């Protein structure tokens, strides 16, 4: 029997459409996988074994995704009476159904392409988050891509495919199968997604040392479902742990090394005591969207897209060795406000029960400051309004601007220059009220679709990230120049830092170079120009600012004042939503959700890493930090007023 005859025999069965759906899903997924493989060819470790892994393991996950995708058609073919199944009306319904299936599969393939282009991974938490904020995401897509042309093309291609498959779609409509027989087949088919749900592991694709090979071995739809159902990872369930008393003891030793820490240590609680008079300077913390260190000329970039920041770096104190906690804005906001290592799963900024936590804003407020969070978009995005307003900050977002005050906006928010105009207005209010201020300002312009007002820089809008970086740089320079005219400028510390890097994709699980971000302390007359070379974590920024101001305060922060840090205390935290990294002594420890701990020698220039024998002391330090961070949050022990 020929292949054609065998295919016709399968399709002529009552459940023939089910097998056609599976074939379409696997076929389009294969084309998508090959296209992504070619696109990422330079980053893939090419070998016969890796290629087989991509194709074979990829097909396995395609079939796993298909087991869920066919549930509606299986139920329909099961319960529809035979006399209706052979009707013309049923044929029309099948054509409509297959049009929807083909359209959805091709649309998903295109979406995966764009998602991979941006993040170099299959769907993950980011994709799930994007479903929550449909207005911003759809707006971003419309402003970034020719969506109308794409949709028209999709309809045409879908119509053509359905037309070519017309005979295969309707072949089974002449087949009459008894209810008893189709019940047995339907139950067998409906058991498959149950077996997949309980028996298939998402981690089976993680067998290569090359991250691109692992991601290409997956299926985007299956990964999306996994991310949707597992958007929070319980640390104790998935990661290596220590007895909680042991973890606390290790953390106590690490944090008590700070010579200013006094008093009885409980969890992370201790008193930071700085002798002398407190310096009540104003503080403006500018959190810059997606500003990788590699964009700055100071760090070797030759495109000349950050002239203002490069100038400020020479005039202020440049931190050369700072690493971001995570790969998204909410992780940066978490690190800057809570000064806590990134817990697995969703950022605390977006989790429930995240009110009245111990934050940098609450410390400043306790010192008589006005603590502000100022954002250029609408603060409901990523739960920013809810989080900051309930954790010691007064929130101001784009809704505070009149239309006449906005020079330009896209779906993410107003142009950065308009954000800074709003910020100056709010800071002037605090000065007028004789209140010292702490303001955390979050920019938005360095984000796809990379659009901004014309006439500001020599790169046209909507031509790529380099233009967006240069525009943000322009806006920061303009803000500093205007701030210099204010009476409060001479008593203000400006801290300019990235929320995260532009990209975290690399050949290895956690490429350290992709987490390298810049920071500048700028305050003419107070801070001499220079460079700070010690390894610094993003969670150290808050305590370092408070230390510079000579504040004495009760602290629960995991971060430390790096100006008082000894050489053997340098460490940093980097992470994805599930891989937790700890950098110390030129060694990288990675904790994974299969209760696995690995030790590597990272290359801080290329991002590559070589596995080395386990360093149990560093592994225990990594576990203690991450385990205690999860423990304190989950048990309500990281509150500002908690005395537990």
């Amino acid at each position: 029997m020929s292949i054609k005859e065998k295919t016709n025999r399968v399709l002529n069965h009552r459940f023939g459409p089910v097998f056609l759906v599976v074939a379409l899903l696997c076929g389009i997924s294969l084309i998508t996988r090959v296209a992504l493989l070619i696109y990422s060819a330079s980053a893939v470790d090419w070998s016969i074994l890796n290629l087989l892994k991509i194709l074979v393991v990829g097909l396995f996950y395609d079939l796993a995704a298909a087991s869920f995708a066919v549930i509606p058609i299986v139920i329909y073919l099961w319960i529809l009476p035979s006399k209706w199944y052979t009707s013309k009306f049923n044929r029309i319904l099948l054509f409509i159904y297959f049009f929807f299936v083909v359209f959805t599969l091709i649309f998903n393939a295109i979406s995966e392409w764009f998602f991979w282009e941006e993040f170099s991974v299959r769907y993950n938490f980011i994709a799930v988050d994007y479903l929550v904020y449909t207005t911003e995401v759809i707006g971003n897509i419309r402003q970034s891509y020719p969506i109308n042309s794409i949709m028209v093309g999709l309809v045409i291609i879908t119509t053509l495919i359905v037309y070519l498959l017309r005979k295969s779609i309707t072949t089974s409509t002449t087949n009459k199968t008894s209810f008893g027989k189709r019940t047995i087949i339907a139950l067998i088919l409906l058991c498959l997604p149950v077996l997949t749900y309980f028996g298939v592991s998402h981690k089976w694709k993680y067998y290569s040392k090359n991250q691109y090979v692992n991601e290409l071995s997956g299926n985007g739809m299956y990964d999306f479902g996994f991310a949707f159902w597992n958007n929070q990872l319980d640390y104790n369930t998935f990661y290596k742990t220590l007895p909680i008393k042991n973890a606390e003891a290790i953390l106590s030793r690490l944090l008590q090394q700070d010579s200013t820490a006094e008093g009885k240590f409980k969890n992370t609680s201790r008193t930071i005591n700085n002798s002398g008079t407190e310096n009540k300077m104003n503080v403006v913390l500018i959190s810059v969207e997606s500003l990788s260190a590699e964009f700055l000329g100071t760090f070797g970039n030759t495109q000349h897209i950050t002239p203002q920041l490069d100038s400020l770096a020479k005039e202020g104190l440049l931190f050369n060795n700072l690493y971001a906690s995570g790969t998204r804005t909410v992780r940066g906001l978490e690190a800057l406000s809570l000064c806590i290592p990134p817990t697995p799963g969703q950022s605390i900024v977006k989790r429930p029960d995240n009110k009245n936590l111990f934050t940098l804003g609450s410390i400043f407020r306790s010192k008589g400051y006005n603590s502000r969070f100022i954002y250029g978009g609408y603060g409901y995005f990523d739960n920013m309004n809810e989080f900051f307003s309930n954790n010691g900050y007064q929130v101001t977002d784009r809704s505070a601007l009149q239309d006449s005050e906005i020079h330009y906006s896209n779906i993410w928010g107003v142009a950065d220059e308009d954000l800074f105009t709003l910020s100056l207005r709010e800071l002037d209010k605090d000065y007028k009220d004789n209140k010292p201020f702490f303001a955390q300002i979050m920019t938005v312009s360095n984000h796809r679709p990379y659009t901004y007002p014309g006439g500001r820089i020599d790169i046209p809008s909507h031509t790529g990230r380099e233009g967006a970086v240069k525009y943000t740089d322009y806006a920061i320079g303009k803000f500093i120049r205007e701030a210099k005219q204010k009476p409060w400028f001479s008593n203000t510390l400006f801290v300019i830092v990235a929320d995260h890097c532009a990209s975290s994709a690399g050949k290895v699980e956690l490429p350290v170079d992709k987490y390298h971000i810049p920071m500048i302390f700028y305050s003419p007359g107070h801070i001499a120009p220079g460079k700070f070379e010690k390894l610094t974590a993003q969670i150290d920024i808050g305590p370092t600012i408070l230390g510079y101001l000579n504040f004495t305060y009760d602290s629960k922060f995991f971060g430390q004042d790096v100006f008082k840090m000894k050489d053997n205390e340098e460490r940093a935290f980097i992470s994805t939503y599930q891989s937790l990294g700890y950098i110390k002594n030129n060694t990288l420890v990675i904790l994974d959700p299969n209760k696995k701990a690995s030790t590597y020698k990272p290359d801080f220039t290329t991002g590559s890493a070589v596995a080395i024998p386990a360093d149990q002391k560093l592994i225990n330090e990594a576990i203690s930090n991450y385990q205690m961070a999860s423990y304190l949050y989950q048990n309500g022990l990281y509150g500002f007023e908690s005395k537990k």
Side-chain angles (χ1 to χ4, degrees), residues 8 10 57 65 258 286 323 365 390 393 438 488 531-532 557:
N8 288 335
V10 170
V57 178
D258 186 339
I286 304 174
Y323 288 82
R365 179 164 288 190
N390 286 292
Y393 297 79
F438 163 63
W488 45 260
K531 293 182 179 180
F532 187 82
F557 292 145

Side-chain angles (χ1 to χ4, degrees), residues 3 40 59 64 104 132 256 280 294 303 307 357 373-374 377 395 401 412 418 430 509 512 514 516 530 540-541 568 601:
I3 295 178
S40 305
L59 176 60
T104 301
V132 178
Q256 290 281 43
K280 291 292 185 72
E294 65 183 3
Q303 296 172 295
L357 297 177
F373 176 73
I374 307 175
V395 177
L401 285 167
W412 294 114
D418 297 327
D430 291 336
E509 191 173 358
V512 292
K514 299 296 186 180
H516 186 206
D540 295 331
I541 295 172
N568 64 348
K601 192 73 172 179

Side-chain angles (χ1 to χ4, degrees), residues 1-10:
M1 186 181 295
S2 67
I3 295 178
K4 183 177 181 181
E5 289 174 330
K6 290 180 180 178
T7 302
N8 288 335
R9 185 175 180 180
V10 170

Side-chain angles (χ1 to χ4, degrees), residues 629-642:
S630 293
Y631 173 81
L632 294 183
Y633 170 72
Q634 291 176 351
N635 289 278
L637 299 172
Y638 208 68
F640 183 65
E641 297 180 1
S642 175

Side-chain angles (χ1 to χ4, degrees), residues 283-346:
V283 177
V284 176
L285 173 60
I286 304 174
S287 178
V288 185
E289 172 70 42
S290 305
L291 186 68
S292 299
E294 65 183 3
F295 290 141
L296 274 67
T298 300
F299 291 101
N301 188 289
T302 59
Q303 296 172 295
H304 306 293
I305 54 177
T306 58
Q308 305 299 322
L309 289 172
D310 291 333
S311 176
L312 291 172
K314 293 177 182 177
E315 298 172 21
L317 180 63
L318 174 69
F319 287 70
N320 270 341
N321 208 9
L322 171 67
Y323 288 82
S325 286
T327 60
R328 291 204 63 207
T329 294
V330 283
R331 280 300 186 197
L333 297 178
E334 175 187 85
L336 293 172
S337 60
L338 294 170
C339 310
I340 191 172
T343 51
Q346 190 58 270

